[in-house]
Amino acid sequence: NHIFAPMFPAAAHPEVYRRRNDMPLKETQMTNPTARAMSRAEFLALMAGTAVPAALALSGCSLPAPSDPPSGDGRGIFSPEPAPVEPLAPVRDEVDIPGALEDVPSSYFDPSNEPGPLERFYYDTNTYDDETRDMEKFAIVYLPYGYDPDDAETRYNVLYLMHGASGSESSYFGTPEEPYGDKFLLDSMIAQGDMNPMIVVCVSYYPDNIEQDNDDYDAALTKRFGHELRDLVPQFETRYNTYLESSDDEDIVASRGHRIFGGFSMGAVTTWYRMTDSMDWFEYFFPMSGSLFWSSEMYTERRSAEWTADFLVDSIDDQGYGLDDFFVFTTTGSLDFALGGLDLQVGKLRKHPDFFVFDDDAENATRVAPNAAYRVAAGYSHDSDGRDTYIYNCLPIFSELMG
């Protein structure tokens, strides 16, 4: 099995591929349709920071200099210092989003005195492929400190969070037996009052929760996860104290303003796809370090960022939704190879102000409340440090918007 070489690979900047809590990182977002196919072993070596430049040369990968800007006009740059994003307009409900992302305080990764528990939630679904096989899967669920299953009066917003390639439902928080990483981060953010208590459902697009070795490297799985999501949401939210009144479709649609879908790397690809088929159930979207500029069709048909933007806009329009009906906050790092593809996509989305108005759009943000934000974190790459930074900065914004 092969995948295409990344546009801005890890080996070009091995010093920024850091680990937190010894968490393995094996996830990425591809953006170069012209490179020779790279083997799965070569790819995982890249992500581990062990590949050598010669291997990249054999793969036909073109390495831009760190100071070279991407060719899009999304306003990110390949540089330790991203372009300023000013002037900024407040988004919905006069919520202001800072122009620069802040580093996470190191103390936020210490175990909290107010820990939220982790649980496994099992649900019934289907493979939704040619096999059409019924299966039982599970998600790792984060419940905020003080959650009481008997307190039906206290309801919680829900974030559905997707891993990247070769990841799993435990990539963010660990397991109930061995919690780590972002579980402690979320505990601290809630305890410090940075955000309202929220339920997080860590999901996997892999059938049976087992990683697959597939030719298009998960692209098809990210695309069709929307079917599985429609099995998961009503089963989960009628079990826990959420804003969903019943499993009826009209109630799920009515509660869409209390639901976020987000993910990192291929989880971001999954998130952009959900904007094309699940807008009726979700109002908020949080794609981190990834664009929709990835799928088997992108390479076989050489589809462009312009096609991608048109596809997103047409799909949202076909679902009957528009500028006032959703909010998306997308992020990446200035040293992240995903920056090129995401910057191109954001640049093309800016050309559709009837559907996407970003908070740094001085012209259009004066006529409507912006429904989109894009930030590039200075000095961060495609790793857990970058992902933690996006979670730390963005979840408080979503929390304020959702109330």
Side-chain angles (χ1 to χ4, degrees):
N1 292 325
H2 291 79
I3 56 173
F4 286 90
M7 182 176 182
F8 195 56
H13 291 274
E15 72 279 1
V16 298
Y17 267 67
R18 303 181 292 274
R19 296 282 195 272
R20 189 185 300 280
N21 296 328
D22 297 321
M23 294 164 56
L25 280 182
K26 300 183 294 183
E27 43 193 57
T28 190
Q29 162 77 9
M30 305 306 142
T31 55
N32 187 358
T34 63
R36 179 187 69 77
M38 180 185 295
S39 74
R40 183 179 181 85
E42 288 173 327
F43 165 69
L44 294 179
L46 272 178
M47 294 311 298
T50 59
V52 295
L56 297 175
L58 289 173
S59 298
C61 182
S62 175
L63 304 183
S67 59
D68 291 344
S71 57
D73 55 0
R75 301 173 196 170
I77 59 173
F78 283 120
S79 167
E81 295 297 331
V85 283
E86 293 180 343
L88 298 174
V91 295
R92 296 176 173 184
D93 301 320
E94 298 299 309
V95 174
D96 290 299
I97 302 178
L101 302 183
E102 299 180 354
D103 294 335
V104 184
S106 59
S107 62
Y108 273 43
F109 292 98
D110 296 334
S112 173
N113 292 325
E114 298 182 352
L118 296 180
E119 298 182 355
R120 287 183 180 83
F121 175 76
Y122 291 85
Y123 61 99
D124 297 320
T125 185
N126 191 280
T127 56
Y128 292 108
D129 56 8
D130 293 340
E131 187 180 9
T132 61
R133 173 175 57 85
D134 291 336
M135 59 181 172
E136 182 183 64
K137 290 184 63 176
F138 69 91
I140 298 292
V141 177
Y142 172 87
L143 299 174
Y145 177 78
Y147 177 90
D148 181 356
D150 296 324
D151 180 13
E153 297 300 316
T154 302
R155 301 189 180 194
Y156 297 88
N157 296 317
V158 184
L159 164 63
Y160 292 83
L161 195 56
M162 180 63 75
H163 60 77
S166 297
S168 74
E169 63 288 332
S170 63
S171 292
Y172 290 94
F173 296 155
T175 66
E177 296 79 19
E178 296 185 38
Y180 56 65
D182 294 327
K183 189 271 186 194
F184 301 129
L185 173 59
L186 210 61
D187 284 342
S188 296
M189 292 174 65
I190 294 174
Q192 294 298 320
D194 298 332
M195 58 178 286
N196 295 325
M198 179 183 294
I199 295 174
V200 183
V201 185
C202 296
V203 291
S204 175
Y205 48 63
Y206 291 121
D208 303 300
N209 297 90
I210 300 173
E211 179 197 350
Q212 293 184 349
D213 189 359
N214 51 68
D215 289 333
D216 66 0
Y217 212 73
D218 300 359
L221 297 175
T222 68
K223 188 173 183 178
R224 66 172 176 257
F225 185 75
H227 298 294
E228 181 176 325
L229 191 60
R230 291 184 178 261
D231 294 330
L232 169 60
V233 169
Q235 291 179 64
F236 178 80
E237 294 194 20
T238 54
R239 161 84 176 272
Y240 290 84
N241 295 334
T242 70
Y243 286 87
L244 182 60
E245 297 288 349
S246 77
S247 59
D248 292 342
D249 186 71
E250 55 265 32
D251 284 336
I252 302 176
V253 172
S255 58
R256 65 187 291 271
H258 297 283
R259 213 169 283 125
I260 315 170
F261 196 96
F264 179 79
S265 191
M266 292 303 283
V269 178
T270 313
T271 303
W272 291 110
Y273 267 126
R274 298 299 70 78
M275 295 182 69
T276 72
D277 61 20
S278 302
M279 189 73 68
D280 56 336
W281 283 19
F282 288 81
E283 185 172 341
Y284 298 95
F285 301 89
F286 182 26
M288 300 174 279
S289 289
S291 62
L292 190 57
F293 200 61
W294 162 265
S295 74
S296 55
E297 290 95 342
M298 297 300 170
Y299 297 110
T300 58
E301 300 181 26
R302 295 295 189 269
R303 288 178 174 172
S304 66
E306 183 174 6
W307 177 91
T308 303
D310 290 342
F311 174 59
L312 279 164
V313 168
D314 290 345
S315 298
I316 293 168
D317 189 31
D318 288 345
Q319 294 174 85
Y321 292 91
L323 181 67
D324 298 328
D325 299 318
F326 68 94
F327 179 82
V328 57
F329 196 164
T330 187
T331 56
T332 191
S334 63
L335 298 178
D336 192 324
F337 57 75
L339 173 59
L342 182 57
D343 203 73
L344 284 166
Q345 179 174 301
V346 169
K348 298 304 181 182
L349 290 175
R350 291 181 186 277
K351 299 182 182 297
H352 296 274
D354 290 339
F355 285 86
F356 290 87
V357 173
F358 289 81
D359 64 337
D360 60 346
D361 184 341
E363 178 181 354
N364 290 295
T366 59
R367 65 178 179 85
V368 299
N371 70 335
Y374 171 47
R375 297 291 186 272
V376 179
Y380 283 95
S381 188
H382 202 85
D383 60 10
S384 61
D385 284 350
R387 185 190 68 196
D388 297 341
T389 300
Y390 313 142
I391 290 173
Y392 172 70
N393 284 269
C394 299
L395 282 192
I397 302 300
F398 284 109
S399 177
E400 187 174 359
L401 287 168
M402 299 170 80

